[in-house]
Amino acid sequence: MGFSVAIIVSLAALTSAASVPNANLKRQVSQLQSSYDFVVVGGGTSGLTVADRLTQHLTTKKTLVIEYGDIQFAPGQFDPPTNWITPHPNAPPSWNFNSLPNPEFNGKTAFVRAGQVLGGSSAVNGMFFDRGTKFDHNAMAELSGDDGGPPLTKWNWSGMYSYFKKSVTFTPPSASVAAKYNYTWDEAAYGGTGPVYSSMARFQWADQPVLRRAWQEMGINPVKECADGTKEGICWAPASQHPITALRSHAGNAHYANVQPRANYDLIVKHQVVRVVYPNGPKSGPPRVEVRSLLDNTLFNVTVTGEVILSAGALHTPSILQRSGIGPSAFLASAGISTVIDLPGVGSNLQDHSGPPVTWSYSSPYPSFGPLPSQMTSNATFKAEATAAFSQTPAEGPYTLAGGNSAIFVSLPHMTAQYKTITKKIRKMATDGSASAYLPPDIRTDPAMKAGYKQQLLVLAELLENPDSPSLESPWATSEAPGGAMALSFLLHPLSRGTVRLNLSSPLDQPILDYRAGSNPVDFDLHLAQVRFLRRLFNTTTLQGLGATETAPGAAVAADDAALKGYVKQAAYLSFMHPCCTAAMMPKPKGGVVGRDLKVHGAKGLRVVDMSVLPILPAAHLSATAYAVGEKAADIIIADWE
Ligand SMILES: Cc1cc2nc3c(=O)[nH]c(=O)nc-3n(C[C@H](O)[C@H](O)[C@H](O)COP(=O)(O)OP(=O)(O)OC[C@H]3O[C@@H](n4cnc5c(N)ncnc54)[C@H](O)[C@@H]3O)c2cc1C
Ligand SMILES: *[C@@H]1O[C@H](CO)[C@@H](O)[C@H](O)[C@H]1NC(C)=O
Ligand SMILES: *[C@@H]1O[C@H](CO)[C@@H](O)[C@H](O)[C@H]1NC(C)=O
Ligand SMILES: *[C@@H]1O[C@H](CO)[C@@H](O)[C@H](O)[C@H]1NC(C)=O
Ligand SMILES: *[C@@H]1O[C@H](CO)[C@@H](O)[C@H](O)[C@H]1NC(C)=O
Ligand SMILES: *[C@@H]1O[C@H](CO)[C@@H](O)[C@H](O)[C@H]1NC(C)=O
Ligand SMILES: *[C@@H]1O[C@H](CO)[C@@H](O)[C@H](O)[C@H]1NC(C)=O
């Protein structure tokens, strides 16, 4: 393996592009090296993980990262003098997407963000740092197919767990902090020395233990450690933050800024990858990378000799592929792009977590427990104390708690005795073929997409039936959350599938998202079961003792299927910012886009490494998974080139 010919670039073109003066860049555009073996497209969560590892281990090979955003680290979104209720006004930029209207949700759009900065979404996210279950990852491995590849390319739990561990350095809380908040953990789930930090906040608002007691009254049991592959119950999740400073740890600092300068690790920011180009067809890769400077709009090609790694995230990777002529051929034709590889799955398997809240209010006067987050804005003394505490070493106080770090994860069998009615419906629509009517219209009749969806539904039915595999997440939310006390219902394993497609009137801009939420009607059965389960909160002695009064959906609505469905349609958030699965790791005859080695089917020298490659969502927020996928992908690529 390997290649010896040095590469690249039309350096002339590169140097003519406007350079971006930035003190944090280790090299300006004009100083770029004369040859690159690897180009990583997107300096986000997975992309920087791969670039860091490739340059660390393949010391004779040169890697260039091309990032759309700038280098902009502090202040983070939740850093003083702000908290999560009033995010920092100068937080790093994000793409803001409003999806097409969702007909099943009264025409409501999904609002989705994605980081547009070095570090990608890990630099702007909520820092809740949990992992999916072993059931999720074994299901993904099953969907990825058995292509006879080496063990390294198996994506089952045992093939992933070591990469979850490797990616982070977890620092447990001190004994006194642990005792104060009843934190539990098991160091066996960690033990890595990765450059991303995770730790537990040294603060909780006073209503956290209240909800925790109520959860236990609902029959949900605390789980000692939720990061070891099982997490059905009440979970603590570490946050992606430094154990001493409590500042955000993200891909931009962990995998770039904190890396000692390496002669083989280059980055350009403020440049957009337009597409990859195969001058002699996709079998004679690697492709060239066509890049647009965001400063002067010039276009240039980067010639690559090793591989191009697409890591632009689940919303942008499919748009780069489509601009490259890799995607659903009928759609490409409508866009006037000639098809290079007909891959109907590109941008066609969009999934996200979604769901409504249940809400309540407390009897007046407000419960006597405190402090609650409003003190940060209403009480200058409290705020001054919080700011002083944060600047101590180690940092203390409210600012060490970014959002929340606990949640319940509950399986369908633990929510409703009727769970088999639901999974039976799923199996029936999968096996009799009626489910394909729920696929996006432009790929609905494609035999590969139909076969893949059928398999996804069968695998999901199994997950939903498993009493240890969560279907619902409800993160702790303070009684002072915007809109009042609320407990959100996340649908962790949705059945509906949406699309990401280029905007034909401006194909270089953000793509068009069609979430198609609720297009598979069984998602509503799941939403209803989850809301009915969460309403048990209101019957707990803990909440009743505090005079909690349900404000929505209410007993009358909850008692009636049609009325409750109406509530779900009106109240649901259609994205919890976890878009995925738009270049799924599944075989080509199942509508997949990449194989278990993450190579794009039919394309030479082109891989995808980001949250696009998951075939289905895990029962987790995605950043820990994005790092683990980056770590595993790096090992796969290194093994190919070493
Ligand atoms: C607001 C928000 C809150 C979230 N909260 C949490 C949370 O609390 N916990 C959690 O675990 N997860 C959370 N997530 C999700 C998680 O952060 C993401 O799923 C994960 O980081 C995605 O990683 P990625 O590598 O797939 O993409 P990203 O990290 O988004 O990286 C993609 C990168 O590609 C760049 N890019 C895009 N297009 C181009 C192009 N054409 N050319 C060059 N560069 C390009 C982008 O600028 C970006 O830097 C949240 C996400 C958001 C947006
Ligand atoms: C799971 O993955 C590991 C590689 O990490 C592999 O050795 C093992 O055979 C896989 N198990 C199955 C059942 O595929
Ligand atoms: C911690 O757990 C103990 C025992 O379960 C309980 O009595 C106590 O109230 C808990 N404290 C907090 C802050 O949750
Ligand atoms: C990049 O290369 C392709 C294939 O040779 C070519 O069609 C395209 O015009 C080039 N782009 C630029 C900006 O030079
Ligand atoms: C304001 O915060 C201070 C310091 O924590 C506290 O002692 C005081 O009771 C608070 N005042 C109110 C009105 O809550
Ligand atoms: C597509 O792009 C055009 C031109 O920029 C814009 O006006 C339009 O809103 C976009 N469409 C969608 C659905 O985002
Ligand atoms: C709450 O308790 C009442 C009285 O026991 C019961 O009728 C109702 O079904 C319970 N509600 C929920 C959501 O469990």
Side-chain angles (χ1 to χ4, degrees):
M1 325 213 171
F3 54 86
S4 51
V5 189
I7 329 345
I8 312 228
V9 177
S10 58
L11 190 68
L14 265 184
T15 46
S16 76
S19 100
V20 188
N22 187 317
N24 292 305
L25 265 181
K26 293 177 175 122
R27 220 165 269 112
Q28 304 299 328
V29 172
S30 58
Q31 301 169 311
L32 291 177
Q33 303 188 9
S34 59
S35 64
Y36 291 92
D37 301 82
F38 301 108
V39 167
V40 175
V41 176
T45 320
S46 297
L48 287 179
T49 306
V50 173
D52 182 9
R53 297 304 188 188
L54 292 183
T55 52
Q56 180 183 13
H57 294 283
L58 299 176
T59 50
T60 62
K61 307 220 183 287
K62 296 168 185 172
T63 296
L64 174 65
V65 177
I66 304 172
E67 166 56 38
Y68 189 104
D70 206 342
I71 301 183
Q72 183 183 339
F73 292 151
Q77 175 128 257
F78 307 108
D79 301 346
T82 61
N83 63 11
W84 64 280
I85 292 183
T86 52
H88 201 287
N90 299 319
S94 296
W95 271 285
N96 298 316
F97 288 88
N98 284 298
S99 76
L100 293 181
N102 286 265
E104 291 299 334
F105 282 81
N106 306 334
K108 191 173 5 191
T109 62
F111 174 68
V112 198
R113 288 169 49 202
Q116 188 191 91
V117 63
L118 192 73
S121 298
S122 69
V124 303
N125 72 14
M127 292 158 60
F128 193 93
F129 207 46
D130 62 334
R131 301 171 183 168
T133 66
K134 61 182 174 185
F135 311 106
D136 295 330
H137 289 283
N138 290 339
M140 290 187 216
E142 189 179 338
L143 291 167
S144 74
D146 187 358
D147 58 8
L152 187 54
T153 64
K154 299 214 178 199
W155 292 81
N156 61 32
W157 175 250
S158 75
M160 277 294 279
Y161 193 25
S162 56
Y163 292 104
F164 277 114
K165 292 183 183 177
K166 179 182 183 184
S167 61
V168 297
T169 298
F170 169 76
T171 304
S174 68
S176 63
V177 168
K180 190 167 175 191
Y181 301 122
N182 280 344
Y183 284 151
T184 59
W185 68 94
D186 178 359
E187 281 187 68
Y190 301 95
T193 55
V196 178
Y197 294 105
S198 78
S199 55
M200 310 283 260
R202 280 185 287 276
F203 182 83
Q204 293 293 331
W205 297 107
D207 51 356
Q208 202 286 334
V210 173
L211 194 53
R212 197 172 172 85
R213 274 199 298 281
W215 283 337
Q216 293 189 55
E217 275 191 66
M218 289 166 74
I220 310 167
N221 297 317
V223 181
K224 182 182 176 202
E225 174 56 69
C226 290
D228 64 1
T230 53
K231 65 189 299 193
E232 216 268 340
I234 304 177
C235 291
W236 290 113
S240 41
Q241 60 186 160
H242 192 274
I244 308 293
T245 63
L247 291 174
R248 175 189 296 272
S249 180
H250 61 84
N253 45 38
H255 287 292
Y256 181 75
N258 298 347
V259 174
Q260 285 303 311
R262 291 179 190 142
N264 62 342
Y265 186 177
D266 283 0
L267 164 72
I268 48 174
V269 294
K270 302 294 281 177
H271 282 76
Q272 178 189 32
V273 169
V274 174
R275 56 177 181 150
V276 299
V277 188
Y278 283 97
N280 302 307
K283 302 242 182 292
S284 60
R288 296 178 190 168
V289 179
E290 191 170 69
V291 184
R292 181 171 73 104
S293 164
L294 298 176
L295 291 123
D296 61 12
N297 219 21
T298 49
L299 277 178
F300 57 92
N301 276 335
V302 177
T303 313
V304 187
T305 57
E307 296 195 17
V308 176
I309 294 147
L310 298 181
S311 301
L315 303 178
H316 293 286
T317 285
S319 56
I320 295 170
L321 286 168
Q322 289 167 15
R323 285 194 296 261
S324 309
I326 302 172
S329 58
F331 170 75
L332 295 175
S334 72
I337 298 170
S338 42
T339 296
V340 174
I341 307 172
D342 179 14
L343 278 183
V346 173
S348 303
N349 188 44
L350 175 66
Q351 297 162 50
D352 201 338
H353 292 140
S354 67
V358 301
T359 61
W360 67 97
S361 62
Y362 290 106
S363 57
S364 184
Y366 221 64
S368 52
F369 52 77
L372 292 175
S374 59
Q375 295 274 309
M376 291 286 229
T377 42
S378 67
N379 183 341
T381 314
F382 185 85
K383 184 177 166 163
E385 283 176 7
T387 303
F390 193 79
S391 61
Q392 289 172 21
T393 308
E396 301 283 350
Y399 283 122
T400 67
L401 178 68
N405 60 354
S406 61
I408 51 169
F409 290 86
V410 185
S411 70
L412 191 59
H414 289 164
M415 284 186 274
T416 170
Q418 273 79 58
Y419 68 96
K420 282 201 168 151
T421 320
I422 298 178
T423 52
K424 221 171 129 182
K425 260 198 215 178
I426 300 172
R427 288 206 173 84
K428 181 166 186 305
M429 67 166 64
T431 45
D432 72 12
S434 57
S436 51
Y438 305 130
L439 283 170
D442 62 349
I443 47 93
R444 187 174 286 168
T445 58
D446 184 276
M449 295 306 296
K450 286 161 71 172
Y453 190 45
K454 172 182 175 175
Q455 197 193 359
Q456 286 191 12
L457 291 178
L458 293 174
V459 162
L460 285 164
E462 213 173 304
L463 275 183
L464 291 169
E465 243 166 38
N466 180 341
D468 298 322
S469 163
S471 164
L472 161 77
E473 174 186 344
S474 185
W476 170 79
T478 171
S479 44
E480 291 186 330
M486 61 155 72
L488 287 167
S489 164
F490 281 39
L491 186 65
L492 292 173
H493 290 120
L495 309 175
S496 299
R497 299 292 176 259
T499 60
V500 177
R501 299 279 183 254
L502 294 177
N503 181 339
L504 299 187
S505 38
S506 55
L508 279 184
D509 289 342
Q510 301 183 194
I512 294 175
L513 311 186
D514 188 358
Y515 262 63
R516 306 184 72 258
S519 53
N520 185 320
V522 178
D523 277 345
F524 284 106
D525 296 344
L526 297 168
H527 279 303
L528 263 51
Q530 297 194 168
V531 171
R532 286 183 169 134
F533 175 76
L534 271 185
R535 286 189 65 252
R536 292 187 203 170
L537 266 176
F538 307 128
N539 269 6
T540 60
T541 0
T542 301
L543 258 66
Q544 297 221 326
L546 293 166
T549 310
E550 179 176 9
T551 48
V557 167
D560 179 77
D561 279 0
L564 187 55
K565 195 172 165 186
Y567 171 75
V568 168
K569 289 175 179 229
Q570 166 261 315
Y573 296 87
L574 295 184
S575 166
F576 290 121
M577 317 280 171
H578 301 156
C580 77
C581 311
T582 51
M585 176 174 33
M586 289 179 76
K588 192 174 179 193
K590 296 270 173 66
V593 175
V594 301
R596 282 175 14 198
D597 53 9
L598 305 184
K599 287 182 178 158
V600 174
H601 294 308
K604 185 150 184 251
L606 183 63
R607 297 195 217 226
V608 176
V609 183
D610 60 24
M611 287 302 89
S612 315
V613 303
L614 306 182
I616 55 172
L617 275 165
H621 303 225
L622 293 184
S623 63
T625 311
Y627 287 118
V629 164
E631 294 281 7
K632 187 171 169 73
D635 268 7
I636 293 172
I637 298 168
I638 290 165
D640 271 3
W641 290 97
E642 228 163 23

